[in-house]
Amino acid sequence: MSREPRGGAEGMTMDKAVSYDDLDVSLAELGESPREQGVVELIVRRPQPGERELVEQAEFSVEDGLIGDNWRTREYRLGRPEANAQITLMNSRVMQAITQDQALWAQAGDQLFVDFDLSTDNLPAGSRLAIGTVVLEVTALPHTGCSQFRAHFGHAALRFVNANEIKHLNRRGINARVVQAGTMQTGDTVKKVH
């Protein structure tokens, strides 16, 4: 387990002047992610706001999501945890197009980075994913980039993941909830449960 520094983008080496077109070309060069069976590239736990822990193995519960993550205790607009945003997943190839430095991926704020097609066509709301002994259900709640994502990765990266014309690709990722408790680790297979 490694702990990332608290706070902003200190230590970040990505060139924020990179263009949207450059990001698009980089992603195209990485090729398409698998649609049926992929892999977990990175697991990130967020114990406190601004803190990130990269973990090799993690435990998940239906009630608390990723054990040791601050999902349940975060501040929410409605004053309670958003059950439909218990777990966030982002495509690892999209992150790789944004930054080659995997150590910086955790700053995106997602818990799981997977090489798997997260598009709405491939994973509509209600789809289920088996990872290790955990089963996640994709929720309809949109997962969008925010000012923090822009602060870490730049304006072009935010537009790259949020542009209206590609919303259905879910480049910023998807929200999910745990429907079967269990454990997973990096390198585990991500598989659609039909």
Side-chain angles (χ1 to χ4, degrees):
M1 171 175 69
S2 70
R3 185 172 285 231
E4 293 301 306
R6 264 187 97 129
E10 58 265 12
M12 187 161 159
T13 58
M14 197 193 107
D15 177 10
K16 291 186 182 180
V18 68
S19 75
Y20 180 96
D21 290 338
D22 290 339
L23 291 169
D24 225 17
V25 168
S26 294
L27 183 59
E29 289 173 354
L30 292 170
E32 294 183 8
S33 290
R35 294 178 60 85
E36 294 295 323
Q37 189 169 306
V39 66
V40 175
E41 299 282 350
L42 194 68
I43 303 171
V44 181
R45 190 166 41 214
R46 310 161 306 183
Q48 297 294 326
E51 289 184 2
R52 305 289 186 263
E53 292 177 347
L54 308 181
V55 295
E56 290 295 315
Q57 182 173 329
E59 185 178 345
F60 292 76
S61 81
V62 173
E63 299 78 21
D64 295 317
L66 173 57
I67 303 299
D69 185 76
N70 71 357
W71 165 76
R72 185 171 283 291
T73 59
R74 295 173 76 120
E75 290 184 25
Y76 293 93
R77 286 183 299 212
L78 299 177
R80 64 182 184 279
E82 174 52 73
N84 290 322
Q86 193 181 48
I87 304 295
T88 57
L89 298 90
M90 187 166 180
N91 182 286
S92 60
R93 294 186 196 212
V94 171
M95 271 315 297
Q96 190 175 354
I98 292 170
T99 177
Q100 295 286 318
D101 187 351
Q102 194 180 57
L104 297 177
W105 293 6
Q107 294 179 10
D110 299 277
Q111 298 133 311
L112 301 176
F113 293 86
V114 297
D115 186 11
F116 196 79
D117 181 351
L118 301 178
S119 70
T120 302
D121 288 344
N122 194 44
L123 289 178
S127 298
R128 291 192 172 190
L129 294 171
I131 310 171
T133 59
V134 180
V135 177
L136 303 176
E137 183 176 88
V138 176
T139 67
L141 184 69
H143 183 34
T144 58
C146 61
S147 59
Q148 289 181 357
F149 189 90
R150 182 179 60 228
H152 291 303
F153 302 110
H155 179 74
L158 181 64
R159 182 173 164 252
F160 179 66
V161 298
N162 271 356
N164 283 332
E165 65 270 16
I166 52 90
K167 284 270 191 203
H168 65 284
L169 298 177
N170 293 325
R171 283 184 180 167
R172 180 57 192 96
I174 58 174
N175 285 300
R177 63 187 185 91
V178 179
V179 293
Q180 178 180 300
T183 59
M184 72 172 71
Q185 59 189 18
T186 55
D188 274 351
T189 298
V190 179
K191 187 175 181 180
K192 281 201 288 191
V193 179
H194 297 284

